[in-house]
Amino acid sequence: MIITLIKVKDDGTILYYTLHDRQPLLMARYALSVAWRSGEGQGREKIYGFETVAEMDRKIRSLFSRRIRAGYKLLYSFMRERPAHSASDAEMAAMLKRRKLS
């Protein structure tokens, strides 16, 4: 999933705000990265970890609605059928078993 929001300030400065789930974390099953920048300036990023998709979904909705209220507009979005780095419990167990055997 990727969502990019944009806002043009009165002075012409363009603000970008992006949410994505493409960066995995070692310590959490699901991850959400939030990146923001002003125009051509250097960006900043924050990464959140979650144990369930529901927790991640609540955070996405919260961040998205906060930015929309602040005047941002949707620039681009892409959704997968399931999060980029989610594996079923059976897949995770099989992967760990293979690693122990090697």
Side-chain angles (χ1 to χ4, degrees), residues 40-66:
E40 297 294 323
Q42 184 174 351
R44 296 184 61 194
E45 184 175 37
K46 183 166 184 172
I47 301 171
Y48 299 92
F50 307 95
E51 290 307 312
T52 67
V53 174
E55 291 172 330
M56 185 171 73
D57 186 57
R58 278 192 297 276
K59 187 65 171 180
I60 291 169
R61 290 172 188 273
S62 169
L63 293 169
F64 183 83
S65 63
R66 191 179 316 160

Side-chain angles (χ1 to χ4, degrees), residues 68-88:
I68 294 298
R69 284 192 306 271
Y72 282 77
K73 304 284 185 215
L74 181 64
L75 178 65
Y76 174 81
S77 68
F78 173 78
M79 304 293 173
R80 291 190 171 107
E81 295 213 8
R82 67 189 258 195
H85 300 287
S86 68
S88 71

